[in-house]
Amino acid sequence: MIALIKYNGGNVSSVQNALARLNIESVVTDDPELILKADKVIFPGVGEASSTMKVLKEKGLDLLIPALKQPVLGICLGMQLMCGDNEEGGTRGMGIFDVDVKIFPPEDLVPHMGWNTISDLKSPLFSGIEENSDVYFVHSYYCALADSTIGGCDYILPFSASLHRDNFFAVQFHPEKSGATGSRILSNFIKL
């Protein structure tokens, strides 16, 4: 079973629909028992960091997610909340990844929205994905390049498009909106 973490964020149904197109069943839940029993967990996200962390804390998910042992995939805000300090609302994330989240400097249009290339891909998550493949981004905050970076992107400055540590994976882009490339990444995650 694939568990999609339920909270006040958006794009959960988009991720569930993307999985359904791959003939992968999933359940949207905030039930700790179901999440612990899941084969894989996806932490999708569209929303604002501080209000989302508040909901996660109220449900105890801020402690549950970092303790999970099965493969976990954070998407967009999900990735950012798996990191450390976040400039959005002065939020402290779950600290799974040792990298902070900062707002893009206003040297170009912010948010970074639309298709952009990912490179320096270093993980089975990107099996069959060519260097400089295009994926879809929508974000105003970014994670710097770090030891846990397994894929990068460049918009205003180089940043982490994807992170990995132990059983935790995360992508800043939206695989559910990234066509065949995104579908392959989701499929690769399910096969981990």
Side-chain angles (χ1 to χ4, degrees):
M1 173 191 60
I2 311 303
L4 301 178
I5 304 260
K6 177 184 176 182
Y7 65 103
N8 68 331
N11 96 316
V12 176
S13 60
S14 295
V15 175
Q16 191 168 38
N17 290 336
L19 292 172
R21 287 192 296 274
L22 295 168
N23 295 314
I24 298 166
E25 290 186 29
S26 60
V27 60
V28 177
T29 183
D30 58 5
D31 180 339
E33 286 188 30
L34 276 178
I35 294 168
L36 287 167
K37 288 179 186 174
D39 299 311
K40 307 280 188 314
V41 175
I42 298 178
F43 179 30
V46 170
E48 190 273 332
S50 62
S51 59
T52 299
M53 274 307 292
K54 182 179 178 204
V55 171
L56 293 174
K57 286 178 179 179
E58 287 168 358
K59 297 179 177 205
L61 296 174
D62 64 316
L63 300 177
L64 177 70
I65 293 169
L68 294 174
K69 302 299 181 201
Q70 67 271 64
V72 177
L73 176 65
I75 297 174
C76 196
L77 180 61
M79 170 172 153
Q80 294 177 2
L81 293 178
M82 293 165 79
C83 294
D85 291 329
N86 189 320
E87 289 186 351
E88 185 174 24
T91 306
R92 176 72 188 155
M94 291 178 268
I96 295 166
F97 299 112
D98 187 20
V99 59
D100 293 335
V101 181
K102 301 181 180 291
I103 192 164
F104 278 116
E107 296 169 16
D108 203 335
L109 295 176
V110 177
H112 171 213
M113 184 162 62
W115 296 88
N116 205 339
T117 57
I118 51 174
S119 59
D120 300 319
L121 308 176
K122 303 174 220 161
S123 167
L125 189 65
F126 299 113
S127 176
I129 304 295
E130 292 185 21
E131 283 286 313
N132 299 311
S133 289
D134 288 323
V135 291
Y136 192 80
F137 289 89
V138 181
H139 61 123
S140 298
Y141 295 80
Y142 71 94
C143 299
L145 298 175
D147 290 343
S148 53
T149 300
I150 56 170
C153 185
D154 197 323
Y155 184 78
I156 300 176
L157 45 75
F159 66 89
S160 293
S162 185
L163 299 169
H164 172 229
R165 182 179 149 242
D166 301 328
N167 56 309
F168 295 97
F169 298 81
V171 293
Q172 181 61 68
F173 55 89
H174 288 274
E176 76 280 7
K177 296 182 181 187
S178 296
T181 298
S183 292
R184 179 64 185 258
I185 291 167
L186 288 172
S187 180
N188 287 343
F189 172 71
I190 298 305
K191 293 174 186 171
L192 291 174

